[in-house]
Amino acid sequence: MRLLILAGIGLTLSAQTPEVRAVLQKKCFACHGPGMQMNGLRLDDGEAAIKGGYSGPSIIPGDSKASTLIDRLHSDKEKYKMPPAGPRLTEQEIAVISSWIDQGAKYPASTQAKKKDSKLDHWSFQPIRRPDVPAGKNAIDYFIQERLKKEGFASSSEAPKEILVRRVSLDLRGLPPTPEEVKQFVSDTSTNAYEKMVDRFLASPSYGEKWARQWLDLARYADSDGYEKDLVRPYAWRWRNWVINALNQDMPFDQFTIEQIAGDLLPNATTEQKVATGFHRNTLINREAGVPRAEDRFEQTINRTNTISTTWLGLTAGCAQCHDHKYDPISQKEYYQLFAFMDSIAEEEIDAPIAGELEPWKKAQPEYLAKRTAILKEYKVPELQAVWEDNMRIAITQPGKKVEWDFALTSCTVMLDNAQPMLMTPFAERTQKQQDRLTNYFIRNVGPDNRRDKELVEKFKEMNKKLDELEASVPKLTQAYVIEEGKKPAITKIAVAGDYKRPGIEVQPNTPAVLPKLAKESSEPARLAFARWIVAKENPLTARVIMNRTWQTLFGRGLVRTSDDFGLQGESPSHPELLDWLASEFMKQGWSQKQMLKQIVTSATYKQSSRVRPEILEKDPDNVLLARQSRLRLSAEQIRDEALFASGLLDTRIGGPSIKPPQPASVAELTYANSNKWKDSEGADKYRRGLYIHFQRTAPYPQLMNFDAPEGTVACSQRRSSNTPLQSLNLLNDPVFFEAAQKLTERVAPLPDDAARVKAAFEYALGREPREREQQRLVELANREGFLTAARVILNLDEFITRE
């Protein structure tokens, strides 16, 4: 059947009377594929026709006078009339359609309903069912072994102890074991030696750092705004601290989820619960003056909606931004219902001191404020700022009256968050923080009138220098980027064709019909109810998605390979019963991530050797059946951490601001107007873990990108693993790796000869002794080129950057 567009109506011809078909055929002026609509009304979908589509026009079967379609056929109003272009329908033709409506307007049943019905049986939308496991069997090993038996395979033997200790250490802490830890485990003959080791690594503060990195990937974390100006976010790290601490405390994952999505809405929310909402503040911000704030806000809300969909639900809901999802049972309307949960978010910045900050800050405040106030008065800032604010308010309320000030307002609006609401708030009603932010902006952006006063400009330069010196002399109080509910609930409308400038029908916050209903108490804010719904036991997706990613980290491949897509275009699970058991056990164990990690890493499946057997490689090259462990290239951050660790340089302090290791000057020059100059961190800071490296979206630290770190713009559920010449050059020549090789050389220098030095270097770097041939060749190299060259080779070995 041909879908014809009449007056902006998608209509299936064979479903209509001959008279109606004649009118439609005469007035057909475009052909579109099934599922398309114009002006928001489609008659291939009865449900959409009755509800009025996405932008208003409707058919009321049996009542043509109440049907807005007829009104639009008669109208001459632009963007409302139908047809939107071309010859108009005659009165006789409109009468035919009116008669058809009055007689019941027969059209096809809802195709959307049919499509949804056919997709409801997809595996990921089914309830999680806990499968039976024979008594005395390890559930993980049972399901893996059952599948192997069916395929005629046998599992691999357990890996040697030296490999196991390095594997578990890298997987749980992100760092290799020390030579002492290797010896301790290898020599421990007790039956629970392995379990004790696992417990020690899970209890390590480094655990939170290792597993935080994966969460930061999903949260699209970065230390800058992105886009052209890419301004630095000096306190982005405060949310990162929260993640590390939450993971180290083994915060139940349901609480971990609720606090990040809606911590601000919890009763009597603590500072830390508000800090958790920094998850939402990792969106990009476009501070280009020509970009309307409404557009940037829309794009941020789209990003937040898509991130939640990927991170917790494993769905590509973003495909429904412009039209109904082509594969999954998610309509465009349902997408904007999800969008509506995020649409009332207001961004804020709060005091979020870390340990040891508050008391020194309080003690210094009286003197600091007195000196600051005196400086501002000396340069007449209060009076000048009052005039500046008056002009800015005129630009807000009477645009066009003072064109120069219109430009000043535009710049202020994009560069100072919440600028207009603060300017329109009476002085007496502003918080101290709001007033300080406005003042700080004004003294560096004095406005068009003041800029013409050369003497004033020079005086303000002098004043700003004094203020900077004062600021540097007093203790700081860490801030945090958080969210809160806006003062006015947003009215969310579908964006027709995904365009924020084309609002369609209004929608309310709700969840997709294919999933369990949202349970909400009347008094509970919608976003908080949504957060609880995400981790409700009835939700079939979240526990599966999170356990699948955990498995992916430990085996290199999820039980569902498409870890970001549990929809119809994603792959089915290789071991569906095991996935459901893991998901159900996760909830049963109180959403404890550490407990689930322990269960997996203590399984025989995890402890297998990664040695490849020819018969397995031929029949199962991707190791789907798990007849062996997988060899995994370490992440970008782990590779750097391991080099620093082996050399003894690694600074193991937990948390704190981002750091800037040495990098080529040309990298920072790529930023907007060379505005983000890279000043190398000094002292121990430059030897901190890769998790803490400052991530500038437009000019990321090159070692991270060479080893496949994500770009920090959208949620990343799995990093790719490439193999390029640049990586080898990076390991040989990067200042960090060269210095690590130097320090490794110094670390082993006191030993009596090169043979002993090679042995010690191997133990520091690889957790094992060198084989005879390896030692011989490296000793020869050290004799010929010096031990530094031998150390650089060790830190460039494939084994060094690989988890066996």
Side-chain angles (χ1 to χ4, degrees), residues 762 768-778:
F762 252 69
R768 66 173 178 85
E769 294 184 1
R771 300 178 185 92
E772 183 178 345
R773 177 61 174 155
E774 291 170 332
Q775 180 151 327
Q776 178 187 342
R777 294 183 68 186
L778 283 168

Side-chain angles (χ1 to χ4, degrees), residues 203-476:
S204 166
S206 298
Y207 162 85
E209 295 176 306
K210 159 62 166 76
W211 288 85
R213 181 60 265 177
Q214 292 169 242
W215 193 253
L216 267 57
D217 283 2
L218 288 161
R220 71 279 192 235
Y221 174 87
D223 293 286
S224 66
D225 286 346
Y227 291 113
E228 180 192 39
K229 290 185 174 59
D230 199 23
L231 297 187
V232 170
R233 298 174 178 175
Y235 294 108
W237 61 269
R238 185 60 178 85
W239 171 77
R240 180 178 63 202
N241 264 29
W242 180 89
V243 174
I244 295 168
N245 293 334
L247 292 172
N248 274 334
Q249 295 162 13
D250 198 22
M251 179 184 285
F253 185 78
D254 55 349
Q255 182 184 347
F256 183 74
T257 296
I258 290 167
E259 292 194 9
Q260 289 182 88
I261 294 177
D264 59 306
L265 300 175
L266 291 168
N268 303 311
T270 65
T271 296
E272 289 303 300
Q273 288 171 331
K274 293 175 183 176
V275 169
T277 66
F279 177 89
H280 296 293
R281 294 296 302 275
N282 291 314
T283 54
L284 282 72
I285 299 176
N286 193 337
R287 298 190 186 275
E288 172 58 43
V291 175
R293 292 302 87 202
E295 179 181 349
D296 188 51
R297 176 177 172 78
F298 175 80
E299 292 299 335
Q300 287 191 51
T301 309
I302 288 288
N303 183 279
R304 288 171 179 143
T305 306
N306 296 351
T307 299
I308 288 174
S309 169
T310 298
T311 301
W312 279 279
L313 304 178
L315 294 177
T316 56
C319 294
Q321 176 186 341
C322 305
H323 48 69
D324 292 350
H325 202 295
K326 295 297 184 184
Y327 304 103
D328 295 342
I330 303 173
S331 68
Q332 190 187 20
K333 179 182 178 183
E334 287 175 320
Y335 177 78
Y336 284 96
Q337 289 173 339
L338 288 173
F339 178 101
F341 287 113
M342 305 295 118
D343 204 16
S344 292
I345 282 176
E347 297 183 345
E348 195 49 79
E349 190 173 314
I350 64 169
D351 295 336
I354 58 175
E357 279 189 344
L358 191 56
E359 289 308 314
W361 178 82
K362 282 182 177 178
K363 188 176 179 181
Q365 277 300 287
E367 184 180 357
Y368 163 74
L369 290 174
K371 288 182 177 179
R372 176 181 164 89
T373 301
I375 293 172
L376 294 176
K377 283 184 177 178
E378 178 187 352
Y379 291 90
K380 297 183 173 54
V381 169
E383 301 94 314
L384 293 168
Q385 183 178 340
V387 175
W388 175 81
E389 287 191 21
D390 286 342
N391 281 302
M392 296 294 262
R393 281 189 284 272
I394 290 172
I396 293 172
T397 59
Q398 303 175 60
K401 186 173 182 179
K402 296 183 176 182
V403 175
E404 280 188 313
W405 285 93
D406 289 344
F407 284 110
L409 176 64
T410 298
S411 179
C412 180
T413 301
V414 298
M415 299 302 287
L416 178 63
D417 295 336
N418 299 316
Q420 292 196 28
M422 287 192 291
L423 284 164
M424 297 305 291
T425 300
F427 182 87
E429 296 177 21
R430 291 175 189 164
T431 66
Q432 186 62 49
K433 189 181 291 294
Q434 288 174 329
Q435 183 57 34
D436 288 345
R437 290 177 67 199
L438 280 171
T439 299
N440 289 339
Y441 181 85
F442 164 68
I443 61 179
R444 287 170 171 79
N445 303 272
V446 294
D449 294 345
N450 291 326
R451 268 199 305 271
R452 285 188 279 269
D453 186 335
K454 303 275 194 215
E455 184 180 354
L456 177 67
V457 169
E458 289 305 312
K459 282 185 176 180
F460 265 46
K461 285 181 182 178
E462 178 184 284
M463 176 190 66
N464 279 319
K465 185 178 179 182
K466 290 181 180 179
L467 288 171
D468 289 342
E469 290 172 353
L470 174 63
E471 197 71 32
S473 70
V474 296
K476 302 293 183 294

Side-chain angles (χ1 to χ4, degrees), residues 474-498:
V474 296
K476 302 293 183 294
L477 198 65
T478 295
Q479 306 294 294
Y481 307 125
V482 302
I483 63 162
E484 60 185 22
E485 280 294 282
K487 293 180 181 178
K488 277 184 170 183
I491 298 174
T492 304
K493 296 185 177 182
I494 288 169
V496 177

